[in-house]
Every structure is written in structure tokens, then in C-alpha cells.
Amino acid sequence: MLDFIPDNPYILLTPGPLSTSKGVRAALLRDWCTWDADYNETIVQNIRRRLVAIATADTGSYTAVLMQGSGSFAVEACLGTALPKNGRVLILTNGAYGKRIVEMARVLEIAHTEMALSETVAPSTGELQAALDCDPDITHVAIVHCETTTGILNPVEELAGIVKAAGKTLIVDAMSSFGGIPFDIGRLGIDFLASSSNKCIQGVPGFGFVIAKRDALEQCAGNARSLCMDLVGQWREMDKSGKWRYTSPTHVVRAFYQALDELEAEGGVTARHARYEENHRILVDGMRGLGFETLLPDDLQSPIITSFLYPDAKFDFKVFYEAVKAKGFVLYPGKISQADTFRIGNIGEVYPQDMKRLIEAVREVAVTSEK
Ligand SMILES: *Cc1c(COP(=O)(O)O)cnc(C)c1O
């Protein structure tokens, strides 16, 4: 039925964007008016309700606000709206996305403290507690859930417990984990969670979203440092009828609605997580079988994206990348300073048989380049 949609020339193992289904790409093919209920109510409001339902069983306490732009725009809108003028945010960093939040705070002139860790170390509850104890001015804490820089999975449940016990507002960048790893933000007490259209929900890029505790968001009126990035402004307009304040990325939004249907058809977040785990297991077992080592120990590793060390000093990633791409798989360069790595993501419209084909492709490339 979807034969009219062309096959992709390669699979993106690069979240994100990531590979999407033909159904999602087919949903892009018509125009929408943004003032009628067929778009605002049927699509936008429905998406907002479904995002909250994915995030928590406590649907009454939370709301979802969609924001034009890539995922970083949603994180920045969240930070710039959540922090009052006299607030101070403690930012836990062990990779580029945590560092990006620090950069946002600097640009927005938000008072901040960085708790900087090595890229291969997860923050501990003890360190977080100590950081909170030594600075009573801290009002907010920002944590990255899956730090896509390395693939490390930060222990958000334990950390959230410390933040909430201390009575601070908690902001989580769950960009690359939301929809792919089950957790309940209501149970963890997360006040603001940011993610985007083109990660584990498997839509196409074009907007981000923040799932916020209603009470917390209510208190943020007047905080925003930017008109367009004002999460409260967007929420107030969107909550009335599903209309975005400024032009909404209609095609992307409709494709995201389809992606949510496909997530449900797959069996929800639990089933998607199981597929990602399986993809990841085949990837890591296969790569280890070919002599590659992972950067992280298994207990810190997420089932989203994995960093592999260059096998030896002669390894030329560019050559390897081009050869694997020619076989239909796009890998991701490394992003860390401490070691020479490259990354392979396993989220998106990617299945265990694709990961098996990938391992075969890597085997062939490795054998050829040894000659
Ligand atoms: C993808 C990602 C982002 C957002 O990146 P954009 O390029 O702005 O979409 C932010 N944080 C994490 C952890 C991510 O994986």
C-alpha cells in the first residue's frame, strides 16, 4: 500500500534524525489548515494528550507543550521559562548535552552551577546531595537522562529522589530516552521533561516538546527571556484550542501523530524498549565478536546508542564510515575528548535483522581493510 514511498538509500544509526517508517513519511504528503478543528483538535490536542499519557499515569497533573525547532530549542525554552530571575540552576554534566545546557544558561544570563563529571562516569546521589547542601541558593536542577554523547544512562530515578527531597525543581533532558525507556515522570516528581519529534517516538525532525507539571508551569508566567521561546505563552495559546502561537510545522506534526499510532501498534514504550534492547544486544555482541570494544562498561550503557573505541592506531574512521555507508548504514562520529571513538545508534525504524546485516557489513569492511 505504501509502495509509492521510496525506500531509503541507507539506514540512519545516528540519532537523530533517525530512520522513519514509510507510514510516517507518507503522512507528510498533504497540507493542513492550522485554524480548523481537523488539525488543532484532532491532531495537536490529541498528540499533547498522548504525550502526557506516555510520560505518566498521573495525567491530570501534567501538560505537554509543543515548540517549533529542534530538541535544543525545547530545552532552551524550558530553561529560559522555568528559571525565575532570582533562580539558580545546578547542571549535572557528563557530556556535550549537559554542557549545552550550561551554555544556554550562560547566554540567557541564568545563574548556574555546573557539577562537571568525566564523560564515562555517572553522577552519584552522594555528589548531588553534597552539591545541593553546599549551595542553598540552588532552586532548580537540570539532568540529562541518556547522555547521547557517549550513550551513558544517568540514574535519573535515584537523582530525582535527592532533588525532590531537597524541594528543588527538576528539569530533565530526556531527548534520546523518552518513548524508548519506560519511566513515570509523575512518580519521579520531574517538573519539566524535554524531548523532540525525531528521537524514540520516531517522527521526522521539526519540533520539540516539554512535558510539564501544571503547577510548576503556572508559576513561570513572566520568566521567559524570549518571546518566541516562552513556554507559558505557547502553552496558554495551545491549551485553548490546539493552535500554536506562530506557524506550526504542520506536516511534521501530522507525521508525528502517525509515529504515535505506530508506537501504540508496536505495543507502547515497553515493547519499543524491548526492541531497542534486542537491537543493542546484537550490536554489542556482534561488534565485540569482531574485536571492537565499547567505551562504557555494560552497567552504565543505555540501549539507545553505543560508543566504540577505535580498534588500533591505524584505524581510519572516515574510510570505515564511507565503506559501511556504501553498504547501507550511516554511523555517527565520536564526540568525546577523552578517547578516539565512533558511535552506533540503534533506535528508529531499525530491527534486529538490520543490526545483524550491519554486523555482516562491518565484518566485510574490516576484512577488506586488513588486506
Ligand atoms: C538529540 C539531543 C538533544 C537535542 O539535539 P537537537 O540537535 O537540538 O535536536 C538534546 N539532548 C540530548 C541528550 C540529545 O540526544
Side-chain angles (χ1 to χ4, degrees):
M1 200 179 84
L2 292 170
D3 289 346
F4 64 101
I5 301 289
D7 287 323
N8 279 317
Y10 42 66
I11 292 180
L12 290 169
L13 300 174
T14 59
L18 37 61
S19 289
T20 56
S21 70
K22 285 194 174 188
V24 166
R25 282 177 282 134
L28 291 161
L29 293 178
R30 64 154 280 194
D31 302 321
W32 296 87
C33 66
T34 56
W35 51 91
D36 273 351
D38 64 354
Y39 177 73
N40 289 336
E41 181 55 43
T42 313
I43 298 174
V44 178
Q45 299 295 53
N46 176 284
I47 286 174
R48 294 181 59 223
R49 282 191 291 271
R50 284 204 272 177
L51 284 176
V52 172
I54 290 170
T56 180
D58 182 11
T59 52
S61 303
Y62 284 84
T63 187
V65 188
L66 316 182
M67 181 60 81
Q68 295 93 331
S70 82
S72 299
F73 291 62
V75 175
E76 188 166 278
C78 184
L79 198 72
T81 307
L83 268 289
K85 301 285 176 275
N86 58 356
R88 172 176 286 272
V89 60
L90 173 70
I91 306 163
L92 278 53
T93 66
N94 56 351
Y97 293 102
K99 295 275 182 210
R100 189 174 295 173
I101 300 178
V102 173
E103 195 60 13
M104 288 168 182
R106 190 185 63 73
V107 170
L108 295 174
E109 297 181 351
I110 291 171
H112 58 282
T113 304
E114 179 180 357
M115 186 177 124
L117 297 152
S118 148
E119 289 155 327
T120 53
V121 171
S124 74
T125 52
E127 286 166 304
L128 173 58
Q129 186 69 61
L132 290 174
D133 288 345
C134 79
D135 188 352
D137 289 347
I138 290 166
T139 53
H140 292 61
V141 178
I143 298 171
V144 178
H145 186 202
C146 172
E147 192 29 283
T148 322
T149 310
T150 54
I152 197 168
L153 191 65
N154 289 322
V156 71
E157 307 210 356
E158 288 85 343
L159 299 170
I162 300 291
V163 174
K164 297 323 292 181
K168 314 293 181 190
T169 302
L170 178 55
I171 300 171
V172 177
D173 171 349
M175 201 69 59
S176 60
S177 57
F178 182 77
I181 297 179
F183 59 101
D184 186 307
I185 69 169
R187 199 173 56 73
L188 300 185
I190 294 172
D191 298 278
F192 299 91
L193 174 143
S195 185
S196 79
S197 57
N198 61 285
K199 298 270 169 113
C200 295
I201 308 286
Q202 299 184 184
V204 299
F207 70 94
F209 51 86
V210 175
I211 301 170
K213 206 180 263 177
R214 284 174 181 280
D215 292 351
L217 191 56
E218 289 279 3
Q219 288 165 27
C220 295
N223 286 351
R225 280 96 176 146
S226 150
L227 172 69
C228 293
M229 305 278 274
D230 180 356
L231 214 57
V232 173
Q234 181 87 325
W235 178 44
R236 296 241 185 273
E237 182 68 35
M238 203 170 259
D239 221 34
K240 279 188 240 161
S241 62
K243 194 172 168 299
W244 300 45
R245 272 181 315 166
Y246 313 127
T247 302
S248 86
T250 47
H251 304 77
V252 175
V253 173
R254 178 59 185 84
F256 188 77
Y257 177 95
Q258 171 68 20
L260 284 171
D261 282 352
E262 293 182 13
L263 173 61
E264 274 167 34
E266 185 170 356
V269 177
T270 314
R272 180 151 297 179
H273 178 241
R275 171 163 62 88
Y276 289 169
E277 289 271 13
E278 176 71 354
N279 286 349
H280 180 255
R281 192 186 58 73
I282 294 166
L283 170 69
V284 171
D285 288 356
M287 291 294 282
R288 283 180 177 153
L290 297 174
F292 288 90
E293 283 175 34
T294 58
L295 171 72
L296 298 172
D298 292 349
D299 62 336
L300 295 179
Q301 174 66 53
S302 69
I304 303 292
I305 184 168
T306 307
S307 296
F308 293 96
L309 298 167
Y310 285 10
D312 54 49
K314 296 196 307 284
F315 183 75
D316 185 335
F317 177 69
K318 192 76 192 127
V319 171
F320 179 73
Y321 171 93
E322 290 299 344
V324 177
K325 184 175 174 193
K327 293 183 177 292
F329 304 91
V330 176
L331 311 182
Y332 214 28
K335 203 176 189 173
I336 72 164
S337 39
Q338 297 163 353
D340 282 330
T341 60
F342 63 93
R343 292 174 291 174
I344 305 182
N346 55 256
I347 63 174
E349 184 70 1
V350 178
Y351 293 86
Q353 61 269 29
D354 298 312
M355 300 318 282
K356 288 179 187 156
R357 287 195 300 113
L358 167 72
I359 297 301
E360 266 324 297
V362 171
R363 185 196 309 279
E364 287 163 18
V365 166
V367 166
T368 324
S369 51
E370 264 169 30
K371 282 187 197 144

